[in-house]
Amino acid sequence: MPTFLLALPPWETLLRQLLLAPCLEEILFRLGLQDLLANSRALAARRHAVTLTALAFGAAHALALLVAAAPGPWPTLPALLLALATAAPAWWIGHGYRRHRSLPRCIAWHLLFNACWLLLAAPVVLPLLPTS
């Protein structure tokens, strides 16, 4: 049996990361922010809607990490950078949304990215992060 299957996260985490987060975040960021920017009167907002949405997505993940840590010590810089790095797949998903206008496709890609993170990357990366 592959080692990553031996250390599956709790089912609540799987439910949250593989169902709730992809659905809610894609509705908020694609149907909400990206569509708002893409239909804006400002040319710069329309032209850069995908990038601005991806940056907002990364910033939201970093902010969530800060809020979750309160009132204790702040998360480490590598942890914050990892949260901000969610902007990269968000940018890719945003381009797919702009091209296909398919929210279910975005949710599926988001679910796939989260699954890869939970099952493959997190068990390797998270133990390497400094704790304070």
Side-chain angles (χ1 to χ4, degrees):
M1 178 181 287
T3 56
F4 67 85
L5 291 178
L6 297 175
L8 282 175
W11 70 270
E12 298 92 354
T13 300
L14 292 173
L15 175 67
R16 186 176 58 247
Q17 295 300 317
L18 299 180
L19 184 61
L20 294 177
C23 291
L24 296 176
E25 290 177 354
E26 291 306 322
I27 288 169
L28 179 67
F29 285 95
R30 298 300 153 230
L31 292 182
L33 184 58
Q34 187 169 332
D35 278 351
L36 180 72
L37 292 170
N39 296 316
S40 171
R41 295 178 69 186
L43 177 63
R46 287 193 315 268
R47 182 173 292 162
H48 302 292
V50 171
T51 302
L52 293 171
T53 302
L55 291 172
F57 187 81
H61 280 78
L63 182 61
L65 193 61
L66 290 170
V67 168
W74 280 39
T76 62
L77 182 59
L80 285 172
L81 292 175
L82 204 54
L84 288 171
T86 61
W91 180 84
W92 190 85
I93 293 170
H95 275 284
Y97 181 69
R98 185 178 70 188
R99 181 174 182 195
H100 300 287
R101 304 296 299 169
S102 171
L103 186 65
R105 182 186 298 231
C106 294
I107 291 170
W109 279 111
H110 193 143
L111 184 152
L112 183 65
F113 279 117
N114 284 4
C116 289
W117 167 255
L118 283 173
L119 299 176
L120 303 175
V124 174
V125 173
L126 294 181
L128 300 175
L129 292 179
T131 57
S132 57

